[in-house]
Amino acid sequence: MKSRFKSRVVIGIAPLLVASALAISLPSSSFADSTGAQCSSELNSYLASRTSYLALPKPTASDYKILSALFVNAKNERAACLKEINASYNSQLQEIRAKYALLFKNSDKNLIASLKTQRDSELAEATLTRDNAMKNLPEIFTLPPAPTKTKKG
C-alpha cells in the first residue's frame, strides 16, 4: 500500500514541477511593447504634413507630391512593422512547439494531457500578444484629394 501512495504523490508532484519549469522559461513578448514606438516616426511626419496640407488655402501639385511620398513611406513603415511582429510571433510559436515536443517525448501518458493544455495556453497567449501588437499599431489616414487645376476663362 505504501508504494502505491508514494507513486501517486510523485505523479501528483510531477505536473507542478513541470509547470513551474515552464513558467520560468516562457518566451518574452517584447515585440508587443516595442513596436508601437518604432512604427510611428514616418506616420508622425505624414500626419503633420497632412494637417499642414489641409490647412493650405490653395495646395499645389508639388505639395501633394510631397504628401503622397510621405504617405507611401508611412505605409511601408507600417508594413515592415507588421512583418516584424509576424516574424517574432512565428519564432515564438516554433519555440513553444519545440519545447513541448521534447517534453512530450520524456513524459508519461498521465502528464501529456496537462502538457497539451499548457502548450495550448501558451500558444493562445502568444496569439493574443501578437493581435494586441497589431491592434496598437497606428492607423494611416488616407490621402486627401489631389488639388484640381482651375481653368481661367
Side-chain angles (χ1 to χ4, degrees), residues 3-145:
S3 62
R4 264 191 191 167
F5 180 72
K6 286 182 184 177
S7 66
R8 286 183 184 167
V9 171
V10 171
I11 291 173
I13 292 175
L16 293 176
L17 294 175
V18 171
S20 62
L22 293 176
I24 292 170
S25 65
L26 285 176
S28 66
S29 58
S30 60
F31 66 89
D33 304 328
S34 62
T35 44
Q38 294 173 352
C39 295
S40 60
S41 63
E42 293 291 330
L43 176 68
N44 289 337
S45 298
Y46 167 68
L47 290 178
S49 297
R50 184 178 188 273
T51 303
S52 299
Y53 177 84
L54 292 173
L56 292 173
K58 289 190 175 194
T60 63
S62 64
D63 293 333
Y64 188 77
K65 189 175 181 180
I66 293 169
L67 184 65
S68 64
L70 290 171
F71 176 73
V72 168
N73 290 343
K75 278 180 54 174
N76 290 340
E77 180 185 57
R78 190 171 196 281
C81 290
L82 285 172
K83 189 174 181 179
E84 178 186 327
I85 288 170
N86 284 324
S88 178
Y89 170 68
N90 288 331
S91 70
Q92 271 191 329
L93 292 184
Q94 287 177 349
E95 289 174 15
I96 292 169
R97 289 180 179 137
K99 176 175 64 174
Y100 280 99
L102 181 64
L103 287 172
F104 289 152
K105 288 180 183 178
N106 299 330
S107 299
D108 62 347
K109 290 181 180 180
N110 296 332
L111 187 59
I112 289 179
S114 65
L115 288 175
K116 284 183 179 181
T117 302
Q118 289 173 350
R119 180 199 60 197
D120 293 346
S121 174
E122 285 188 37
L123 292 173
E125 181 182 349
T127 303
L128 182 64
T129 304
R130 189 243 359 224
D131 291 348
N132 285 335
M134 291 171 80
K135 189 168 77 171
N136 289 333
L137 283 176
E139 290 295 320
I140 300 175
F141 296 107
T142 59
L143 276 169

